[in-house]
Amino acid sequence: EPLAETYVTRGGHVVVGEGNNSSNASAHRHASAYESSLALDAALRLERYRAPRLRCVSEAPLPLPLTFPSVFGRWGATSSETPRFVSATTRLRSSASYGTTLANIRQGWQRASRSATGKAALRAWGVDDDELEETSEKLWDAQRAYGGDDDD
C-alpha cells in the first residue's frame, strides 16, 4: 500500500446524453474542474486502501509537442485530425520501498562528495562543507521517514 499519493487531472471529458444508444454515449464535452474533481473522487472511493491524497484538477488539457502529432499522420490521419492536446490523469505514489532508493541516493551523494573530483565539482558550483553535511542529513532524515533504519 502507498504511504501517500498525488493525482493530477488535466482536460477531463464528460459523456453527453444518456441511454444505451451508442451514438449518444460516445458524445462528450470538456468537463469543468468541478466535474473532473467529482469523477476523480468517485474513482478514488473504489480503491481498496486509504492513503493521504493530494488532488489537482485543471480544465486545461495537456498540450502535445509540435513534433508529436506527426506520429498520427503515419496511420492515414490528415493534419486536421492530429491531436494538439490530450486529456491526462497522472498518479505519483510513495511507498516504503522508496526508503531503499533514498539510501542509494544518500550513499552516492556521500561517495561523490568525499572524492577529490566530487569535491572540486561541488566547490565549482558554490557548495560549501556545511551544505554538503546538511544535504546528507536531509537525505538521511528522508530515508528514516520511509522506514530505512540501517546506518552506514
Side-chain angles (χ1 to χ4, degrees), residues 45-92:
R45 280 194 296 274
L46 299 175
E47 294 286 347
R48 294 185 323 255
Y49 57 86
R50 296 288 182 245
R53 293 181 172 131
L54 174 66
R55 298 171 344 279
C56 175
V57 176
S58 172
E59 291 180 28
L62 187 66
L64 294 175
L66 292 177
T67 55
F68 183 75
S70 65
V71 171
F72 294 95
R74 293 183 187 154
W75 292 282
T78 65
S79 61
S80 63
E81 296 172 330
T82 58
R84 301 286 182 225
F85 301 93
V86 294
S87 299
T89 297
T90 58
R91 175 174 65 180
L92 175 65

Side-chain angles (χ1 to χ4, degrees), residues 17-35:
E18 297 182 31
N20 294 331
N21 186 339
S22 61
S23 62
N24 285 342
S26 64
H28 64 275
R29 65 170 173 77
H30 289 284
S32 68
Y34 178 73
E35 290 169 322

